[in-house]
């Protein structure tokens, strides 16, 4: 097996001071991407992180494709592991692609995910791409249509009401 060494930039800590919260931080990352990354890390670690929280490289290297898949499933279905008959009524494929891009901007390794070595960018894995592909196929198979503008891509009959988001049992 090939020995893996973290690239030099992997030892950096992601930082963002509260006085620096504009459209990008000192690493050139968009604030909107950071908000989604903070939301992901909060779910991943079970901690409610503030927007300016600093993440050490070790925390980012622990992220796996399964973690990203879980996040995307919650965003689309409202549950971590959707059942076969569940429908992705909370987010469309293009929104999941946006989340994927946001998370990817914080990954320290730009390489495609290596399943055997478990290194690389977990957002560039087959498992993550398959989630987005499955939802895109759902949309393209006549399961989506009608007036979807202005409501996050959901038809009026699909709009969740207050308190109706499913939780994993």
């Amino acid at each position: 097996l090939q020995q893996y060494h973290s690239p030099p930039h992997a030892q950096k800590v992601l930082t963002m001071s509260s006085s620096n919260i504009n459209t990008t931080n000192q690493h050139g990352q968009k604030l909107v991407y950071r908000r989604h990354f903070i939301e992901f890390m909060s779910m991943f670690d079970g901690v409610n992180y503030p927007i300016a929280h600093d993440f050490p490289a070790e925390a980012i290297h622990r992220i796996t494709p399964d973690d990203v898949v879980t996040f995307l499933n919650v965003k689309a279905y409202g549950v971590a592991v959707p059942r076969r008959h569940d429908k992705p009524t909370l987010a469309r494929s293009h929104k999941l692609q946006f989340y994927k891009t946001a998370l990817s901007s914080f990954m320290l390794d730009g390489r495609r995910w290596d399943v055997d070595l478990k290194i690389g960018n977990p957002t560039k894995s087959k498992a993550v791409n398959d989630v987005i592909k499955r939802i895109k196929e759902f949309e393209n198979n006549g399961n989506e249509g009608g007036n979807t503008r202005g409501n996050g891509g959901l038809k009026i009959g699909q709009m969740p009401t207050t308190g109706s988001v499913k939780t994993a049992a």
Side-chain angles (χ1 to χ4, degrees):
L1 284 175
Q2 175 185 11
Q3 183 69 11
Y4 174 71
H5 298 284
S6 296
H9 68 279
Q11 301 308 315
K12 294 180 184 174
V13 173
L14 295 179
T15 61
M16 184 171 183
S17 68
S18 55
S19 63
N20 195 21
I21 299 178
N22 295 318
T23 54
T24 60
N25 66 10
Q26 64 266 28
H27 301 290
Q29 294 152 331
K30 294 181 180 181
L31 177 59
V32 68
Y33 286 2
R34 183 162 183 88
R35 282 196 306 263
H36 293 299
F37 182 70
I38 293 290
E39 178 185 13
F40 168 79
M41 290 300 288
S42 293
M43 186 177 109
F44 178 62
D45 288 339
V47 175
N48 190 16
Y49 292 112
I51 191 74
H53 184 79
D54 297 337
F55 292 95
E58 300 80 41
I60 295 168
H61 283 299
R62 287 191 342 252
I63 299 168
T64 67
D66 288 341
D67 301 321
V68 178
V69 165
T70 297
F71 180 73
L72 295 179
N73 281 336
V74 168
K75 296 304 257 178
Y77 296 93
V79 293
V81 181
R83 295 169 296 203
R84 260 186 27 195
H85 67 275
D86 286 343
K87 295 180 181 173
T89 60
L90 301 176
R92 294 184 63 188
S93 60
H94 71 274
K95 186 65 173 181
L96 297 182
Q97 183 63 47
F98 175 80
Y99 293 136
K100 174 186 166 182
T101 301
L103 298 180
S104 184
S105 74
F106 288 89
M107 298 301 130
L108 302 174
D109 192 337
R111 295 177 288 181
R112 185 165 202 76
W113 182 258
D114 186 311
V115 178
D116 297 324
L117 298 176
K118 299 188 184 328
I119 59 172
N121 182 338
T123 68
K124 294 182 178 183
S125 71
K126 182 179 183 326
V128 170
N129 290 327
D130 284 350
V131 169
I132 297 169
K133 180 180 174 185
R134 185 174 62 245
I135 292 172
K136 191 175 285 190
E137 287 171 356
F138 176 83
E139 294 166 353
N140 291 335
N141 286 332
N143 294 308
E144 186 280 324
N147 183 8
T148 59
R149 294 187 73 169
N151 62 11
L154 303 176
K155 292 195 279 187
I156 298 302
Q158 295 176 317
M159 293 294 288
T161 58
T162 304
S164 68
V165 176
K166 297 182 236 172
T167 56

